[in-house]
Amino acid sequence: MSLSSAISTALTGLNASQAGLDLVSRNIANANTPGYTAKVQQVTNQLAGNQGIGVAQLAETRTVDKFVLQQLRTESASTSFLNVYNTYLGQLDSSFGAPDSNSSVAGAVTDFETQLQAVATTPDDDAARQTLLNSASTLASKLNSSSTQIQNLRKQAEQSIADGVSQANGLLQSIAKLNTQIAQNQAGGRSTGDLQDQRDTAINQLSDLMGVKTVDREDGTVAVFTTGGQLLVDSEAAQLSFDQHANLDATSSYSADPTKRSVGTITLNQGTTSVDLIASGAIKSGSIAAYVNMRDQVLPQAQGQLDELASQLALSLSSDKIAGTPAAAGSGTGTGYTLDMSPFVSGNTTGATGTQVSFSYTDGTGTHNISMVPVGDPSLLPLSNSATTDPNDTVIGVYIDPNASAATQMASVTSALQAALPSTLVVSNPSGNTLSILDDGTSSASVNSASTTVVENAGTLKDGLGSGLSLFVDGNGQQTYTGAVGIPSQITGFAGRIQVNAAVANDTTSLVVYRTGTDIGDDTRPNDLLNRLTDSSRLYSASTGIGSTTTPYSGSIDSFARRVVTYQSSQASTASTNYTAQKSVSDSLQSKFDSETGVSVDSEMSNLIVLQNAYAANARVITTINELFQTLLSIGR
């Protein structure tokens, strides 16, 4: 090797040391930079004609465990999901109040019950009656405010989805751009480490929003998919869109059918292809998925619990059950019962829980409980058995045109019931508004009982069918609440509309006087209303998440109210516990990832010493060669 070759070789070593020192300085400077991974210098023996001529510098690399990185993203997405749950359920729990608090929804029900007991004890005390009305107003206001809070949270969730989609689009564009730059640098043999750090940071942020998984390509790029398998980024970025709805209420709901949807959905647009990501279930984790669940499932269920409480409260006080009259043997083809259907054909014709006909019959297949539910819209038929809260009844929906004559309405009821029942039962309209349900005169079937349940109209303060009173009504229009089946059903959002009947508020004596001539000291009505409130046999809809379809929750209004508050408190506590535990998992994984890929200042200082020595050695080689050159030059003088 000539001296000129030696000096050339030493210069490559000197340059490599200089590059190494530069890399060490950058690593140390970014030791605390989020997302920065330690870069490692790569060198190789430089050859020319199969002979080493120095050291060749390669593009610097980084050491990242792809498995740990994907696991970290998965756990971080779960943490973001549970963080949303923890935040929202905590706010919801605060709105409902503590189970043992007098200011909670349950506390307001208990106070109302207490004041009703006071009126039952001293019905002639005007102050007691006024206090009862004040308590009823407080209860209605508490239901209203809790309902409003739920809908406000749903609006916040809708806005958060919109914000998340906007952020996701920005990140998708960044990932696609970085993919292009990384591919170009890799093809040119240049460093890609810092660009990969930026891309990983963007993917991590995207995963927190919606949960993603990645696939590495040979050219250094990555393809990004949702956890449900929809492609988000490859050579180009997909575009997400969200048709945000500004006004949400209890009737607003998601549907895969765009004509039935009244909340926003997330659409993935790629070329000419559009996919509804909510309908396809593509977004399974991350904060966006949590906001969608809150908007479409968790918060509507909480609204449903309040609506069921308000509904049962109103109907328990306003519904009167009228037993059928036994039909004497020989009055028809057999024996059974007759029912007065006048309340059904006088305007109060659309109802479910509050207004119905119930009867029981036994035949060779067993005993059958039937609930006839009238509806004012034929498109609602047939009704499912969930139209009532009784798991043991069979629901028969009957369309009654509210604009038709009484005779036409009775004909509708008679024909619909006969068509739905076995031939061993005979349904007829013997006269006027009378409905007859009889057996066919053989021993193959028998009618066991029959009754009608009718809600007293809001304007009927006395001389109604019984002692029931519509103390609570629906909205500012003071509409009678019957729980009418419809689209939407009257129960939907009722907790936000429930109010005290203004007619009762203007005449507190109606809390006592239920018949013309009733003495103001008569405790019949207040005691009856109290007994209805404390009736422990009331059944509640399984759609509330409390109880099941086969075993619905049974209890008094007060006990259900306490169960609702306890349920929300339990949900909030569970969410907090789950979030704390999940965050611990994410933090541990982050620490592991950082320790493996982050900058170790101690290691970098050790590298600094090695590079310093190498630099000095290479410099010494150059100095020595320079001295030899000077010696050679002096010989020729």
Side-chain angles (χ1 to χ4, degrees), residues 254-272:
Y254 175 81
S255 173
D257 183 348
T259 64
K260 299 179 180 178
R261 178 169 55 81
S262 48
V263 295
T265 194
I266 304 170
T267 304
L268 173 67
N269 304 297
Q270 199 161 41
T272 59

Side-chain angles (χ1 to χ4, degrees), residues 23-68:
L23 183 58
V24 167
S25 67
R26 284 191 282 124
N27 280 340
I28 293 176
N30 287 282
N32 296 315
T33 301
Y36 182 87
T37 60
K39 307 304 183 297
V40 180
Q41 184 183 33
Q42 299 293 314
V43 294
T44 187
N45 185 23
Q46 186 175 3
L47 300 175
N50 297 321
Q51 183 176 356
I53 59 172
V55 58
Q57 299 180 55
L58 303 178
E60 63 202 43
T61 62
R62 58 181 199 150
T63 303
V64 174
D65 189 326
K66 297 292 186 180
F67 174 77
V68 174

Side-chain angles (χ1 to χ4, degrees), residues 549-564:
T549 302
T550 56
T551 311
Y553 182 82
S554 176
S556 65
I557 302 293
D558 179 79
S559 66
F560 181 70
R562 293 191 177 280
R563 183 68 185 86
V564 166

Side-chain angles (χ1 to χ4, degrees), residues 36-321:
Y36 182 87
T37 60
K39 307 304 183 297
V40 180
Q41 184 183 33
Q42 299 293 314
V43 294
T44 187
N45 185 23
Q46 186 175 3
L47 300 175
N50 297 321
Q51 183 176 356
I53 59 172
V55 58
Q57 299 180 55
L58 303 178
E60 63 202 43
T61 62
R62 58 181 199 150
T63 303
V64 174
D65 189 326
K66 297 292 186 180
F67 174 77
V68 174
L69 180 58
Q70 183 57 55
Q71 189 178 17
L72 175 60
R73 288 170 179 161
T74 299
E75 297 301 335
S76 294
S78 296
T79 301
S80 295
F81 183 95
L82 292 175
N83 184 34
V84 172
Y85 264 58
N86 182 44
T87 301
Y88 272 65
L89 289 177
Q91 294 181 54
L92 189 60
D93 181 40
S94 297
S95 174
F96 277 54
D100 57 350
S101 171
N102 291 332
S103 62
S104 69
V105 173
V109 172
T110 300
D111 182 68
F112 174 68
E113 187 177 295
T114 300
Q115 302 311 322
L116 184 54
Q117 174 67 68
V119 172
T121 302
T122 56
D124 58 344
D125 186 346
D126 181 65
R129 297 195 300 271
Q130 188 58 55
T131 300
L132 172 60
L133 286 175
N134 293 340
S135 177
S137 294
T138 299
L139 173 54
S141 295
K142 185 63 180 177
L143 289 167
N144 295 163
S145 61
S146 295
S147 179
T148 297
Q149 173 69 355
I150 290 173
Q151 296 312 315
N152 285 340
L153 288 173
R154 293 188 72 206
K155 292 174 185 176
Q156 289 178 26
E158 180 88 346
Q159 180 62 56
S160 295
I161 296 171
D163 293 342
V165 168
S166 177
Q167 293 173 36
N169 277 325
L171 292 169
L172 292 174
Q173 292 295 328
S174 294
I175 294 168
K177 181 179 179 181
L178 289 165
N179 263 345
T180 300
Q181 294 174 335
I182 289 170
Q184 292 172 346
N185 278 20
Q186 180 168 305
R190 297 185 295 275
S191 173
T192 62
D194 288 335
L195 293 173
Q196 288 176 313
D197 284 350
Q198 293 179 42
R199 186 178 63 187
D200 281 348
T201 297
I203 294 174
N204 292 346
Q205 292 173 353
L206 180 64
S207 186
D208 285 346
L209 289 172
M210 56 193 301
V212 296
K213 55 185 179 181
T214 61
V215 176
D216 292 331
R217 305 299 196 197
E218 291 184 359
D219 61 355
T221 64
V222 296
V224 183
F225 299 83
T226 68
T227 50
Q230 295 291 343
L231 179 63
L232 297 172
V233 179
D234 200 355
S235 58
E236 295 182 351
Q239 180 72 24
L240 302 178
S241 61
F242 181 70
D243 55 330
Q244 181 179 0
H245 287 55
N247 298 314
L248 270 65
D249 58 31
T251 65
S252 303
S253 62
Y254 175 81
S255 173
D257 183 348
T259 64
K260 299 179 180 178
R261 178 169 55 81
S262 48
V263 295
T265 194
I266 304 170
T267 304
L268 173 67
N269 304 297
Q270 199 161 41
T272 59
T273 303
S274 295
V275 179
D276 185 334
L277 294 184
I278 295 180
S280 64
I283 304 177
K284 302 178 183 296
S285 60
S287 59
I288 291 178
Y291 289 127
V292 170
N293 283 0
M294 278 292 153
R295 185 196 66 182
D296 298 340
Q297 298 175 27
V298 178
L299 293 173
Q301 183 187 71
Q303 180 69 56
Q305 292 173 356
L306 286 181
D307 290 343
E308 180 71 2
L309 174 59
S311 176
Q312 293 279 1
L313 173 66
L315 293 175
S316 68
L317 302 177
S318 62
S319 300
D320 282 321
K321 185 174 183 179

